[in-house]
């Protein structure tokens, strides 16, 4: 039985062109930092409106979080509407639903305009439980649907051949291939005067009107407007986003089953969580995408077990014998469950941020692009400012804020007292551990050729200790989600500087 390659299906089945690296000073009207769904969609919309746009991406377009999603394009953001009504009232809940539904229309319209195929399909979406203790949550969510006029139903079973106590269905949802979507928009941007650069990491911003984005390897972009669409804002101290975001990883495996896929998209609220959707491979055959097993980034010991858990579940429930792909993703949550989209602070009028999409970055990213485009062009919100990052979310999420600060404090202290592992000589090839050298913790990784890589395991963002992720062969930070290659280079922020190499 095959366990598949450690690769994203979306990345393998897309073909972005290569874009050059920017290492000189340049000027533009709008600088978009981040080449995922929020950044590229924002650049696309602004280009269509005639703005001079420059988009910079630290690695390669679509190879960040967007390339490792489940790509559900849905307004059913887990169990959200009962919470939103309780915290904010029906109007805010209704706006959130409407914003998400409009993203489905946007993808369909863009597919037609650009004469592309995004593999868009309309599907019902289900949140389900097989735990009697969770049934009341499903029932409350259905009552919220009824209040808001959301089409769907309360169900006692679902089409998947698994045991279910209760499920809530939302009609007219969608799924698609996110990188085919981004690829078509990137081609439009380039063809209509926009400039795109890869391998171009932003390091900081010199505020002003215009503002200047300073690049890690030299050069800068000066712009009237700067959009920070880097998943976790790399310029996060402005607005204290490091204290207002919680971070988690989740896992996906994909393979074929002899069973016919019954249609629909599914996610459980039980622990461990499970998510199911379908896609079609290069030959047009159906593949099943099984997701879940999430945990806080940097926590845990054997990350490979998460993939094993999902594969075992897929085999037992759906007879999937061969898994072609496996990958993982990172998600950020706000204090009050709503996205952060808009001006980075009330006092900063030309810096914009898009983050905290929870696990729903496809609809969240497109919503962010539409909102920021409106703020730049019209100076006003499309969504009654419900996503404004300057809103008073602390009062509604004080418990989450306190938990985040406690977690970070514990990591800052306990990380420095961490016990060391094996010696360099005891490490097998492909294995990592920590040693103490001159009183400081040093991360060591012995690659498949036997070369030893040594790094200072102090995260370059705020000083927490990174931990080894054996599934991705990366160093991950449990405080704010920064991730680094085994040799220390930044993969995901908020960190913008590599881990220090140790002799």
């Amino acid at each position: 039985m095959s366990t598949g390659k450690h690769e994203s299906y979306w990345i393998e089945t897309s073909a972005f062109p290569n874009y050059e690296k920017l290492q000189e000073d340049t000027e533009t009207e709008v600088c978009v930092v981040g080449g995922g769904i929020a950044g590229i969609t924002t650049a696309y919309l602004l280009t269509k409106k005639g703005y001079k746009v420059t988009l910079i991406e630290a690695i390669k377009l679509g190879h960040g979080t967007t390339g490792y999603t489940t790509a559900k394009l849905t307004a059913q953001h887990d169990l959200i509407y009962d919470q939103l009504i309780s915290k904010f009232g029906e109007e805010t809940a209704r706006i959130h639903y409407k914003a998400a539904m409009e993203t489905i229309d946007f993808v369909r319209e863009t597919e037609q305009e650009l004469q592309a195929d995004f593999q868009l399909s309309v599907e019902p979406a289900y949140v389900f439980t097989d735990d009697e203790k969770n049934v009341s949550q499903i029932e409350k969510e259905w009552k919220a649907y009824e209040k808001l006029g959301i089409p769907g139903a309360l169900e006692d079973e679902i089409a998947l051949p698994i045991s279910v106590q209760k499920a809530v269905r939302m009609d007219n949802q969608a799924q698609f291939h996110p990188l085919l979507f981004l690829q078509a928009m990137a081609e439009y941007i380039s063809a209509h005067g926009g400039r795109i650069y890869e391998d171009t990491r932003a390091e900081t911003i010199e505020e002003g009107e215009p503002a200047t984005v300073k690049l890690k390897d030299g050069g800068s972009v000066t712009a009237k407007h700067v959009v920070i669409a880097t998943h976790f804002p790399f310029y996060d101290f402005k607005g204290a986003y490091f204290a207002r975001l919680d971070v988690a990883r989740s896992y996906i495996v994909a393979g074929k089953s002899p069973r016919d896929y019954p249609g629909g998209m599914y996610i459980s609220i039980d622990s461990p969580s499970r998510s199911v959707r379908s896609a079609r491979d290069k030959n047009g055959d159906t593949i099943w995408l099984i997701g879940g097993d999430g945990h806080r980034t940097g926590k845990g010991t054997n990350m490979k077990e998460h993939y094993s858990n999902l594969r075992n579940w897929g085999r037992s429930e759906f007879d999937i014998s061969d898994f072609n792909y496996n990958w993982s993703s990172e998600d950020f949550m706000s204090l009050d469950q709503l996205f952060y989209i808009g001006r980075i602070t009330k006092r900063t009028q030309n810096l914009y941020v898009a983050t905290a999409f929870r696990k729903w970055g496809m609809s969240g990213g497109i919503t962010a692009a539409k909102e920021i485009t409106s703020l730049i062009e019209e100076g006003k919100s499309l969504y009654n400012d419900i996503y404004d990052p300057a809103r008073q979310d602390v009062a509604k999420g004080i418990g989450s804020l306190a938990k985040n600060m406690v977690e970070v404090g514990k990591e800052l202290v306990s990380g420095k007292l961490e016990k060391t592992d094996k010696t360099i000589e005891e490490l097998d090839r492909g294995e990592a551990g920590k040693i103490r050298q001159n009183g400081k913790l040093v991360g060591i990784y012995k690659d498949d050729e036997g070369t030893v890589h040594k790094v200072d395991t102090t995260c370059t963002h705020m000083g927490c200790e990174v931990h080894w992720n054996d599934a991705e062969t990366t160093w991950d930070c449990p405080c704010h989600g920064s991730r680094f290659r085994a040799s220390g280079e930044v993969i995901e922020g908020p960190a913008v500087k590599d881990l220090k190499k140790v002799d």
Side-chain angles (χ1 to χ4, degrees):
M1 291 185 291
S2 171
T3 59
K5 64 186 80 172
H6 184 61
E7 179 62 282
S8 159
Y9 164 76
W10 313 121
I11 289 176
E12 187 179 80
T13 55
S14 60
F16 282 93
N18 293 317
Y19 297 91
E20 64 179 325
K21 180 175 183 176
L22 178 62
Q23 289 183 285
E24 59 188 25
D25 298 332
T26 188
E27 296 182 0
T28 189
E29 279 188 277
V30 183
C31 176
V32 178
V33 186
I37 190 166
I40 292 178
T41 309
T42 302
Y44 170 73
L45 288 175
L46 289 169
T47 299
K48 285 184 69 177
K49 291 181 178 295
Y51 285 85
K52 183 180 178 183
V53 178
T54 297
L55 184 147
I56 60 174
E57 163 56 40
I59 44 178
K60 183 172 174 58
L61 295 191
H63 281 52
T65 302
T66 304
Y68 295 90
T69 178
T70 52
K72 295 177 181 179
L73 191 63
T74 172
Q76 191 187 62
H77 298 167
D78 224 334
L79 297 183
I80 186 70
Y81 293 100
D82 178 62
Q83 295 180 48
L84 291 181
I85 291 172
S86 298
K87 288 181 179 180
F88 303 102
E90 289 186 26
E91 181 183 3
T92 293
R94 193 169 284 109
I95 291 171
H96 183 73
Y97 170 75
K98 181 175 180 289
M101 291 301 294
E102 287 175 352
T103 67
I104 300 173
D105 293 335
F106 177 82
V107 173
R108 183 182 295 108
E109 291 163 4
T110 304
E111 188 176 51
Q112 294 170 354
E113 287 178 13
L114 301 183
Q115 297 182 331
D117 179 9
F118 303 152
Q119 298 183 10
L120 180 69
S121 65
V122 175
E123 308 278 350
Y126 298 82
V127 180
F128 68 90
T129 183
D130 194 36
D131 188 337
E132 186 66 36
K133 295 177 182 178
N134 294 332
V135 167
S136 63
Q137 295 182 57
I138 298 288
E139 293 172 338
K140 286 180 181 178
E141 188 73 354
W142 169 241
K143 289 179 180 178
Y145 283 22
E146 290 184 308
K147 287 180 183 178
L148 299 173
I150 297 175
L154 185 66
E155 307 270 5
D156 292 324
E157 57 185 26
I158 59 178
L160 288 179
I162 59 176
S163 175
V164 168
Q165 293 279 336
K166 195 70 72 174
V168 60
R169 187 188 80 228
M170 184 180 288
D171 295 334
N172 304 317
Q173 303 307 292
Q175 60 187 25
F176 71 140
H177 191 308
L179 296 197
L180 297 182
F181 174 61
L182 298 195
Q183 186 178 320
M185 289 191 296
E187 290 171 0
Y188 178 95
I189 293 165
S190 294
H192 291 80
R195 294 178 293 169
I196 298 175
Y197 299 95
E198 294 179 327
D199 192 26
T200 302
R201 186 174 293 277
E203 189 168 66
T204 190
I205 298 175
E206 289 183 358
E207 293 186 40
E209 295 185 15
T212 299
V213 180
K214 294 289 188 178
L215 307 179
K216 178 183 176 184
D217 296 328
S220 65
V221 184
T222 299
K224 185 177 179 181
H225 303 278
V226 176
V227 179
I228 302 169
T230 54
H231 196 41
F232 192 117
F234 77 94
Y235 193 58
D236 65 318
F237 289 93
K238 189 81 171 183
Y241 289 90
F242 61 88
R244 299 169 61 195
L245 290 165
D246 200 8
V247 59
R249 293 199 72 74
S250 55
Y251 300 80
I252 303 170
V253 297
K256 295 180 182 179
S257 169
R259 297 171 179 253
D260 290 333
Y261 190 81
M265 303 178 292
Y266 308 84
I267 188 167
S268 75
I269 59 170
D270 302 335
S271 183
S273 64
R274 292 290 181 262
S275 168
V276 184
R277 65 154 286 187
S278 65
R280 63 175 188 263
D281 66 12
K282 295 177 181 178
N283 299 318
D285 296 331
T286 298
I287 59 173
W288 295 53
L289 274 60
I290 313 294
D293 240 52
H295 62 88
R296 187 179 177 91
T297 296
K299 294 289 189 178
T301 52
N302 187 350
M303 304 301 180
K304 292 180 180 178
E305 286 185 2
H306 298 295
Y307 290 120
S308 296
N309 294 339
L310 294 177
R311 284 192 290 265
N312 290 339
W313 191 72
R315 290 186 186 109
S316 65
E317 301 293 345
F318 311 122
D319 299 326
I320 303 173
S321 58
D322 291 321
F323 290 88
N324 308 105
Y325 306 91
N326 61 79
W327 67 90
S328 67
S329 186
E330 190 160 86
D331 296 288
F332 293 96
M333 283 66 73
S334 68
L335 297 178
D336 61 10
Q337 304 303 306
L338 286 173
F339 311 144
Y340 294 138
I341 305 169
R343 295 182 179 90
I344 196 166
T345 69
K346 283 185 177 180
R347 295 182 178 180
T348 311
Q349 293 297 300
N350 63 339
L351 302 185
Y352 309 84
V353 69
T355 188
F357 300 141
R358 299 173 73 222
K359 297 179 184 296
W360 309 102
M362 299 300 95
S363 59
I366 296 170
T367 296
K370 295 174 66 179
E371 176 78 333
I372 291 171
T373 297
S374 179
L375 290 171
I376 289 174
E377 185 180 39
E378 304 289 343
K380 62 182 181 181
S381 168
L382 288 176
Y383 306 111
N384 202 30
D385 291 316
I386 70 168
Y387 303 123
D388 184 357
R391 67 183 182 269
Q392 295 299 311
D393 61 338
V394 174
K396 295 182 175 65
I398 192 68
S400 298
L401 177 62
K403 179 183 176 183
N404 288 354
M405 298 305 287
V406 168
E407 285 288 338
V408 171
K410 285 167 59 180
E411 285 295 333
L412 281 167
V413 174
S414 64
K416 305 305 178 186
L417 303 176
E418 187 177 341
K419 293 182 179 180
T420 54
D421 302 301
K422 300 177 180 179
T423 65
I424 295 176
E425 291 73 23
E426 292 173 328
L427 285 178
D428 294 328
R429 295 189 178 193
E431 191 176 8
K434 291 185 180 181
I435 62 172
R436 286 200 180 271
Q437 186 169 304
N438 298 323
K440 293 184 178 181
L441 282 171
V442 174
I444 50 177
Y445 171 66
K446 187 178 290 185
D447 64 26
D448 292 337
E449 285 71 45
T451 302
V452 174
H453 303 271
K454 299 171 69 176
V455 296
D456 183 335
T457 53
T458 302
C459 180
T460 56
H461 175 232
M462 289 184 68
C464 292
E465 279 293 312
V466 298
H467 301 309
W468 182 246
N469 178 337
D470 64 347
E472 272 79 41
T473 61
T474 58
W475 295 104
D476 297 353
C477 179
C479 290
H480 304 105
S482 296
R483 300 179 63 238
F484 306 84
R485 291 191 175 89
S487 50
E489 294 81 8
V490 175
I491 301 172
E492 291 186 81
V496 294
K497 295 183 178 179
D498 301 339
L499 296 176
K500 293 180 182 178
K501 297 186 185 299
V502 177
D503 292 332

